[in-house]
Amino acid sequence: MTDQPTTHAFGAEVNQLLKLMINALYSNREIFLRELISNASDASDKLRFEALTNDALKGLDQELAIQVSFDSDKKTLTVEDHGIGMSQEEVIANLGTIARSGTRQFLEGLSGDAKSDANLIGQFGVGFYSAFIVADEVVVETRRAGSDPSEGTRWASNGEGEYQLTPITKDSHGTRIVLHLAEDHHDLLNQWQLQRIIKHYSNHIAFPIELIAPADASGDQGDKGDDPEASIEVVNEAKALWTRPKSEITDEEYTSFYTTLSHDNAPPLQWAHHQVEGTQSYSLLLYLPSQAPFDLLMNRDTVEGLKLYIQRVFIMDAAEQLLPRYLRFMRGVVDSADLPLNVSREILQDSPLLKKIRATVIKRSLDLIAKVTEAGDEEWKKFWDAFGTILKEGVIEDFENREKIASLLRFSSSESDKLTGLDQYIGRAGEDQKTIWYLTGDNLQVAKNSPHLESFKQQGTEVLLLTDRIDEWVISHLSTYQDFELKSVTAAAPDVDKDEAVSESAKKLAGRVKKALGERVGNVKPTSRLTQSAARIVLGDHEMSLQMQKLMRQAGQDVPETTPNLEINPEHPLIQAMASQSKARFEDLAQLVFDQALLAEGGELADPSAYIQRVNTLLVEAYAPDAS
Ligand code: ADP
């Protein structure tokens, strides 16, 4: 066996990350210790979990304390755990490249503008590499639990493009990380300073964190083994946060636990902590984040977020089992006292107990969101901007909780500049109104100017303006809310129908328009519901809106062509003028009116150039009559 070091290059992303991070996080340097302790804690969790099923590891998970020690002479700070450790392959994969996919996506998303990038990275957990904020050399010695002492690995790097690997013999399994502190950071070699940082950021860690201080600060050994006088002090509570009585946990502790759990440096918006005792006992700690992680929208199948513990033993990331996808932004911990420790993913999938817990997680999450929504303040706005679109998926996915989810949604409205909910809409509705009217559109401006709104405005009936891509889809799954029916203004007549007022001559005109348009149109009717527009498209009660058809086609779906119906406004000067035109001119105008109604709808013209030609012919006649 050789103990010659071999040199390896970092993955390109690591270099990029290191450069960025060291400058960006300089003023927030203390987080490095949080990140290293959190990794040590994860590694201890992993060992405890693997020891449940792997006989070779039985008994190795007894002493899982994490040690932080320092040496004032050598200017080193050491974080050591007795967790799962790493094989050499794992060292290369984990410490030579970027292991965390979120970090990779984050790096891909950087703008290149140093200042805003620095800002971003400040909000982001950077894991192991944060050691280089304070160290100009980092040495990792590690050995996987269960392997032979000769199978240890030393990893060393100054964070400048390369690292060295050396095979070593390491007596204990687990990982020891030695930071050679840069000169600026020698002040960290101080018991009180370290104690404060650990308490501040890592108090919630479930394993004891022992701070080992040399008997005499100038003593040459930081390691208790070599310095019998060293003092050992357990700095943290060393109890899983969710098992402690709620009344004893400070907001700061909840927040710092969230940071470790989520890798999100922004504080959570809200949290809920439930300790359920009874036929089933479990603890639930749920967090509502204040910003979306980078991979949230892109990756609907992300499984991180909710950690499953059984009797305080970390079992797995179980978001898939415990959270529906429309709540995939939630973060937290479930700790069950009743599930068997040797549970597998397959068993979990069909466990009735887990189904019950899942239902509770959903209920509690929605309650938490409701709490933020009712406040309707800035917190809610943050939530809504980050996760509103995702929550909407719930109306589609979760039949059981549909009403409750719907009550949390907010939409634009024809009557208010602020977003409004369905309950508020109902609160403002007229006494006989039994319908929630809505209009879907590409964007708010188009929706606000839609011809369909004209009669509603005149009657003072509020219409919800749904302009999010997913709205149309959502609303198609929500035909009623409370005892109100949801109806599109394009599909239906308003309650007050004055259509008898339409004259015979208008009906005749409509007949001529139908003839001129032929197959392009279903039926053509006069209407008294338009005030400003010449015409509008109407669809049958169960027909997909043009907007929806467009979206579906864009998504690659096969959507059968529908034939839209047309309503014309006999009071409109253009429509009135049509009656006395030549046959050819009448046909042109009929096509134009129809195309315009389609455009106003956000639909697409089958033959845009024919439309332009017709308009231009008219313009030339109006402005350059000599040329025609
Ligand atoms: P993250 O912890 O978010 O995955 P890090 O960059 O901090 O990202 O660490 C990368 C990987 O290195 C971890 O996922 C883990 O597999 C491994 N690792 C880091 N620290 C330790 C440790 N103390 N013991 C065992 N493995 C570790």
Side-chain angles (χ1 to χ4, degrees):
M1 195 183 86
T2 167
D3 54 6
Q4 285 303 304
T6 51
T7 298
H8 306 252
F10 279 129
E13 299 141 336
V14 177
N15 283 324
Q16 197 190 346
L17 179 69
L18 285 171
K19 277 208 195 85
L20 257 169
M21 184 189 63
I22 293 165
N23 295 319
L25 297 184
Y26 190 86
S27 59
N28 197 10
R29 61 171 186 168
E30 292 172 358
I31 61 159
F32 84 91
L33 197 53
R34 174 191 77 200
E35 299 288 316
L36 296 184
I37 289 177
S38 150
N39 281 348
S41 163
D42 289 348
S44 309
D45 269 336
K46 275 184 206 156
L47 175 57
R48 202 154 61 171
F49 177 62
E50 282 192 26
L52 291 174
T53 51
N54 182 347
D55 283 341
L57 301 181
K58 282 243 152 68
L60 293 183
D61 58 339
Q62 297 309 308
E63 307 261 340
L64 290 177
I66 297 163
Q67 281 104 23
V68 177
S69 57
F70 61 95
D71 184 320
S72 309
D73 289 341
K74 294 188 182 140
K75 314 296 182 205
T76 57
L77 178 65
T78 301
V79 178
E80 174 155 17
D81 66 64
H82 307 279
I84 192 74
M86 286 177 272
S87 66
Q88 174 163 318
E89 292 74 48
E90 287 168 325
V91 169
I92 294 172
N94 294 332
L95 308 185
T97 58
I98 295 206
R100 203 193 294 155
S101 64
T103 312
R104 201 172 304 131
Q105 278 186 4
F106 159 77
L107 284 169
E108 280 162 11
L110 290 178
S111 65
D113 171 46
K115 212 163 163 196
S116 64
D117 287 351
N119 238 334
L120 255 186
I121 202 165
Q123 300 169 13
F124 199 76
V126 283
F128 166 76
Y129 299 105
S130 61
F132 288 102
I133 303 172
V134 295
D136 47 26
E137 191 188 0
V138 177
V139 178
V140 178
E141 292 180 340
T142 186
R143 173 162 74 79
R144 199 157 207 302
S147 68
D148 192 81
S150 65
E151 293 180 66
T153 303
R154 176 183 293 128
W155 176 104
S157 177
N158 58 10
E160 285 173 10
E162 288 173 349
Y163 60 92
Q164 284 79 43
L165 287 183
T166 321
I168 58 166
T169 296
K170 186 173 183 294
D171 290 338
S172 57
H173 61 267
T175 304
R176 180 186 304 130
I177 300 181
V178 183
L179 311 184
H180 295 262
L181 296 179
E183 197 152 352
D184 285 2
H185 302 293
H186 287 176
D187 61 310
L188 287 168
L189 301 165
N190 171 304
Q191 184 179 0
W192 312 117
Q193 171 89 307
L194 290 171
Q195 195 185 60
R196 178 188 60 78
I197 299 173
I198 296 169
K199 254 201 151 25
H200 182 67
Y201 288 108
S202 308
N203 199 30
H204 60 269
I205 294 288
F207 301 96
I209 304 169
E210 300 172 353
L211 178 58
I212 303 173
D216 150 18
S218 64
D220 60 352
Q221 299 295 334
D223 192 311
K224 167 84 177 158
D226 302 318
D227 180 1
E229 304 288 303
S231 71
I232 302 185
E233 177 202 5
V234 175
V235 180
N236 64 331
E237 295 265 350
K239 247 178 126 179
L241 181 87
W242 59 89
T243 63
R244 289 167 47 201
K246 289 200 291 189
S247 57
E248 285 175 16
I249 309 174
T250 64
D251 286 1
E252 209 169 32
E253 284 176 305
Y254 277 121
T255 303
S256 100
F257 180 63
Y258 168 78
T259 309
T260 313
L261 188 75
S262 64
H263 294 303
D264 174 7
N265 275 9
L269 278 186
Q270 280 283 348
W271 56 83
H273 188 182
H274 304 281
Q275 287 155 328
V276 182
E277 303 273 341
T279 44
Q280 288 171 41
S281 301
Y282 55 89
S283 309
L284 200 60
L285 175 54
L286 290 171
Y287 289 95
L288 192 56
S290 60
Q291 60 180 16
F294 297 94
D295 53 357
L296 183 71
L297 287 163
M298 288 176 259
N299 188 2
R300 267 172 60 82
D301 301 318
T302 181
V303 290
E304 273 179 42
L306 209 60
K307 293 191 187 296
L308 176 67
Y309 284 74
I310 297 176
Q311 298 164 38
R312 330 247 184 290
V313 179
F314 172 69
I315 304 295
M316 65 178 95
D317 276 301
E320 221 177 330
Q321 288 81 5
L322 289 169
L323 276 179
R325 282 184 298 191
Y326 71 91
L327 291 175
R328 62 189 179 276
F329 47 81
M330 296 299 297
R331 296 288 174 263
V333 167
V334 170
D335 189 344
S336 161
D338 304 315
L339 283 165
L341 269 167
N342 59 355
V343 75
S344 68
R345 276 189 193 276
E346 292 67 40
I347 293 177
L348 269 187
Q349 215 73 57
D350 322 305
S351 153
L353 185 54
L354 205 79
K355 286 210 174 80
K356 279 193 193 137
I357 297 180
R358 178 184 155 102
T360 313
V361 168
I362 296 176
K363 182 177 179 318
R364 299 299 193 183
S365 299
L366 293 176
D367 287 347
L368 194 58
I369 296 169
K371 199 168 137 195
V372 171
T373 303
E374 274 152 28
D377 52 11
E378 234 158 78
E379 284 205 346
W380 169 77
K381 175 132 182 39
K382 272 193 199 164
F383 162 77
W384 188 250
D385 289 347
F387 308 116
T389 314
I390 297 170
L391 181 65
K392 284 177 183 173
E393 292 170 15
V395 172
I396 303 164
E397 275 170 33
D398 189 347
F399 181 78
E400 220 168 293
N401 293 296
R402 184 165 290 167
E403 287 255 323
K404 190 160 176 184
I405 299 163
S407 76
L408 302 172
L409 304 185
R410 294 294 177 266
F411 304 101
S412 301
S413 150
S414 62
E415 298 295 304
S416 153
D417 286 336
K418 278 200 251 152
L419 295 180
T420 186
L422 298 176
D423 292 314
Q424 287 100 314
Y425 179 102
I426 290 174
R428 285 189 293 264
E431 252 179 39
D432 314 323
Q433 191 177 339
K434 276 283 158 247
T435 306
I436 297 174
W437 294 103
Y438 67 85
L439 170 67
T440 55
D442 258 344
N443 63 58
L444 195 55
Q445 206 49 42
V446 171
K448 276 189 167 158
N449 293 328
S450 163
H452 298 293
L453 283 188
E454 290 169 12
S455 62
F456 287 85
K457 274 189 199 140
Q458 225 174 23
Q459 292 165 27
T461 304
E462 181 171 3
V463 177
L464 298 179
L465 307 175
L466 313 186
T467 54
D468 201 347
R469 286 185 140 238
I470 193 182
D471 283 345
E472 179 102 37
W473 194 232
V474 169
I475 217 82
S476 67
H477 285 78
L478 196 67
S479 50
T480 58
Y481 180 76
Q482 309 290 8
D483 43 1
F484 278 63
E485 218 182 328
L486 276 90
K487 268 194 180 167
S488 164
V489 294
T490 61
D495 295 347
V496 191
D497 195 336
K498 297 174 289 189
D499 267 5
E500 312 88 67
V502 170
S503 70
E504 276 311 306
S505 64
K507 285 181 189 158
K508 229 163 103 195
L509 186 74
R512 284 181 68 199
V513 173
K514 163 67 190 164
K515 223 163 144 197
L517 293 173
E519 299 285 283
R520 289 192 74 194
V521 74
N523 58 50
V524 181
K525 276 201 221 156
T527 181
S528 58
R529 274 175 254 138
L530 294 170
T531 55
Q532 272 135 43
S533 305
R536 68 168 182 171
I537 300 292
V538 285
L539 296 165
D541 247 342
H542 300 291
E543 239 163 348
M544 211 187 278
S545 77
L546 297 188
Q547 166 82 356
M548 181 71 157
Q549 295 183 19
K550 193 163 90 183
L551 291 179
M552 301 272 286
R553 284 197 193 97
Q554 279 167 1
Q557 301 267 355
D558 227 1
V559 185
E561 291 289 336
T562 50
T563 324
N565 302 323
L566 187 70
E567 286 186 355
I568 55 173
N569 173 6
E571 304 298 321
H572 195 278
L574 177 59
I575 302 294
Q576 288 184 339
M578 277 172 77
S580 57
Q581 302 297 320
S582 71
K583 184 161 178 276
R585 172 53 54 87
F586 183 90
E587 271 170 18
D588 264 353
L589 288 174
Q591 298 283 0
L592 265 179
V593 164
F594 183 59
D595 282 347
Q596 287 180 344
L598 282 173
L599 286 175
E601 200 66 19
E604 272 159 7
L605 298 185
D607 187 355
S609 60
Y611 170 77
I612 291 170
Q613 247 170 37
R614 283 192 193 104
V615 172
N616 281 352
T617 308
L618 290 174
L619 289 174
V620 168
E621 260 178 49
Y623 293 110
D626 299 340
S628 62

